[in-house]
Structures are given as structure tokens and as C-alpha cells.
Amino acid sequence: IKSNDEEMSHMRQMISKHMVESLSTSAHVYVVTEVNMSKIVKFVSLNEVSFKSQELYNLTYTPFIVRATIQALNKFPKMNASIKDSKVVYHKNINIGLAVSIEQGLMVPSLYKCEEKNFLGICRSVNDIANRARNGEISPDELSGSTFSITNFGIFGVTLGTPIINQPNVGILGVGTIKKKPVVIEDIRGDSIGIRSMMTLTLGFDHRLIDGAEGSEFVIGIKTNLETMNLELQF
């Protein structure tokens, strides 16, 4: 029988080394919550044609998630920090590492100074970095300097995952697919069942620095930001 063994690609070897090092460095803990994305789904549906004619690329859900995360990081600076020896290093800027799936593996280029970007700026940055990653145009410098990472496995139809922290970050947000589900709706008239577009968020965090209560508060902050986002003046 012929052997089908093959050498791992250089990128796959680097990813493997990085992941194993992360697991041996950080005390990984996960918290999970569901987000009602119905308002955002409706907004995208109503505006995707005009957005594409204006910007020449598709309006996706990723910029909304990035924006909600930036808002939460502004409120919880510890989640935007790093651990160096016994010190907590608080980063001045919010640099989001955005995981992009490419043919050879996974690349996590950074969106720098996100706290300075408006929604349209986030849309343009996300589109630019995803395109350049898939076309092999990301410079080595753009693969470093992230302060928090986001990975969207929802694009593959996956509901829930437990991503490994991208060192030296102390947190990573895993984004599941959006699915229509029956949910209980509570109002002054009582409880009822309705169909809503729901998405699962998983926050992986480093328990050396972030406690369970802080991690929970942070991911609920992202959930609240998404569910209450002002969608009138986005672009």
C-alpha cells in the first residue's frame, strides 16, 4: 500500500506552533450567549443593493460585529490588554485581529486604530483586509499588533465553536451562523413565541487576567450593543 503522507505546509506548521503555544500559555475559559440579530438582518436586507451600488462590495454582518466589539472594548479596557511577565499592559489603540480563511490555512491580519473608525470606515477596512488576505497581499507587519481577535466560523454554517486565543491577546470572539429560531418574547401582554434571527457568540478569554464575571459582562456588552445599535445613520 502506497503511503499518502505529505509534509505540512510552512503556514500550517506556523499555525500549529502558534496554537499549541497559546494553549500552554493562557488559561482558556469560554462563555456563550445568544444575540437577536433580527434588526440587523432586516437592515442589511433593505440596504444591501444601495450599499453595493455605492461601495461596489457586499454589506455583510461582520462590520456590525466589529463595531459592537469596539464599543465593548472601550468600556472594558482590560479585555484589550496583554500580560507581560507579572504586568498588565493596557494598549492605547484597539487593533482588531480578524481571522480570514484562505486556501493554505487561516490568517489573522489586524485592523489598526479601530477606535477612530466610523461604521463605513470599518466596512471598508474589513472588505480591504479580507480581499488582500485571499489575494496574498497582506504584509508580515499586518499579521502582528492585534489587541483582540474575532473569528467568524458562522460563514461555514457552524453554530458554536471554542476558538484558541491569538497571543498576546487575552480574548477572542467566536461568531456563529445566524439562524431563524422560535424564541420566547416577553412584553406587558405576557409571553408569546416568535421567529427571530439568532446568532451565538462565544468569548474565549485568558483566566489569568479576566475573571468569569468580567468575561460574562463583556460578551453581554457586545450582545447589547448589537441588539440596540442605532442603524439609522450607518452610511
Side-chain angles (χ1 to χ4, degrees), residues 52 67 87 115 142 150 163 203 217:
K52 188 162 187 179
R67 186 177 190 223
K87 289 193 173 71
E115 73 282 357
E142 290 177 281
I150 299 173
L203 176 70
E217 203 177 342

Side-chain angles (χ1 to χ4, degrees), residues 6 9 13-14 21 24 42 47 54 58 64 81 92 100 114 116 121 125 146 155 165 168 184 207 224 229-230 232:
E6 64 174 1
S9 69
Q13 289 180 52
M14 294 302 290
E21 283 176 356
S24 64
K42 186 178 178 182
N47 291 278
Q54 176 188 308
N58 292 325
F64 297 91
K92 180 185 169 188
V100 180
C114 289
E116 297 177 1
S125 296
S146 69
I155 59 172
I165 294 166
V184 177
H207 214 339
T224 304
M229 191 175 285
N230 177 12
E232 288 176 20

Side-chain angles (χ1 to χ4, degrees), residues 185-205:
I185 299 156
E186 300 174 40
D187 61 27
I188 53 170
R189 294 166 295 179
D191 296 344
S192 60
I193 302 290
I195 304 296
R196 296 291 183 269
S197 296
M198 304 301 292
M199 177 180 74
T200 302
L201 292 179
T202 305
L203 176 70
F205 59 93

